[in-house]
Amino acid sequence: MRGLAIRAFLFSLFLVTAAGLLASQEIVDRIAARVENDVILLSDIRLLSRYQKFLDGKSETDAQILDRLIDQWIVRTEADVSRFPHPSDAEIERGLERLRKSFPSAEQYEARRNESGLSEAEVRGIAASQLYLSNYLDSRFRPSVQVVPTEIEDFYQNALVPRAKARGEEPPSLDAARDAIQEALVQRGINEQAEKWLKESRARVHVENLLVGGSK
């Protein structure tokens, strides 16, 4: 009987201690927005904010990041419904390698990642997600983007050449730069069409913004 009494006392002590710990913990997560039948959490905003700081040394406001996450939700939902293929491990690794090379050195990459509080797994997860979304938008809109030769020539004369001279560099020839300019203009066209589509899509999606207390 004494053993049972001791176990009962220890169990009651555990409950009191656990309740005290839970009561003293700050609630660090909540729903920032409802998008149709899904939710975006405050922790989702915080994660993307840390990723932006990792890349650029600064981040957008919570409201701006929430807008980005809503747009990502729309693209991801559309891609999932169409059964768009996710990037392979090899494709993700190539994307991560490009990301690492965007930093002056491997040491600076690691230092910035640590400063932002991101794990390597979180960086990989966000990079894979963004690759999935960008691949889908590219597949959806690239076929409808048309670039004519005069656009390439105008970009060369009015953008590439002045930019090179401003840096004190010799601009490449038009022929040497043609393919790169073509792709830049295609990407610009994809972005413009994607922005128009997202604006139209957001008008049809029910969003309850709990971050600022608004809904639309």
Side-chain angles (χ1 to χ4, degrees):
M1 291 295 293
R2 181 176 176 81
L4 290 174
I6 292 174
R7 285 197 293 272
F9 171 75
L10 291 175
F11 181 66
S12 64
L13 180 63
F14 167 77
L15 291 179
V16 171
T17 304
L21 286 173
L22 289 174
S24 66
Q25 286 179 342
E26 180 183 0
I27 298 175
V28 295
D29 206 0
R30 63 182 175 86
I31 296 175
R34 300 184 190 275
V35 188
E36 297 294 345
N37 296 322
D38 208 347
V39 297
I40 295 174
L41 299 175
L42 184 61
S43 58
D44 298 324
I45 295 174
R46 295 288 181 260
L47 179 60
L48 186 53
S49 175
R50 293 200 303 272
Y51 189 74
Q52 289 182 345
K53 289 177 181 177
F54 164 60
L55 293 182
D56 304 319
K58 59 183 179 179
S59 68
E60 297 173 306
T61 65
D62 285 357
Q64 290 171 322
I65 294 174
L66 178 58
D67 280 341
R68 287 191 181 277
L69 289 171
I70 292 169
D71 286 345
Q72 289 180 13
W73 182 93
I74 293 171
V75 178
R76 184 179 298 105
T77 300
E78 181 88 8
D80 290 346
V81 168
S82 67
R83 299 182 183 277
F84 190 74
H86 286 264
S88 65
D89 288 343
E91 190 176 3
I92 294 171
E93 194 53 47
R94 287 194 296 271
L96 286 171
E97 187 61 26
R98 288 192 295 270
L99 175 60
R100 296 184 188 107
K101 288 182 177 179
S102 68
F103 288 82
S105 68
E107 291 75 18
Q108 290 195 32
Y109 168 88
E110 288 297 332
R112 183 76 70 81
R113 183 179 64 77
N114 289 328
E115 287 171 8
S116 65
L118 290 171
S119 68
E120 190 65 33
E122 286 173 326
V123 172
R124 183 182 181 87
I126 296 173
S129 176
Q130 293 189 345
L131 185 58
Y132 176 59
L133 301 181
S134 64
N135 284 352
Y136 174 74
L137 292 175
D138 187 279
S139 174
R140 180 185 175 98
F141 295 112
R142 180 179 288 269
S144 60
V145 176
Q146 301 295 324
V147 176
V148 298
T150 53
E151 289 180 290
I152 296 175
E153 294 164 6
D154 287 345
F155 187 93
Y156 177 80
Q157 293 294 342
N158 300 320
L160 190 150
V161 171
R163 191 179 306 160
K165 289 182 177 179
R167 295 174 178 174
E169 301 171 353
E170 183 68 24
S173 67
L174 175 58
D175 286 341
R178 189 179 301 276
D179 288 346
I181 294 173
Q182 165 94 12
E183 181 59 24
L185 293 174
V186 168
Q187 289 297 328
R188 185 173 70 182
I190 291 171
N191 291 339
E192 290 171 351
Q193 293 194 28
E195 287 175 9
K196 180 181 178 182
W197 170 70
L198 280 168
K199 184 178 180 180
E200 294 170 350
S201 297
R202 285 192 66 153
R204 296 190 295 269
V205 173
H206 176 70
V207 176
E208 184 182 2
N209 188 337
L210 303 176
L211 184 66
V212 294
S215 63
K216 53 186 176 178

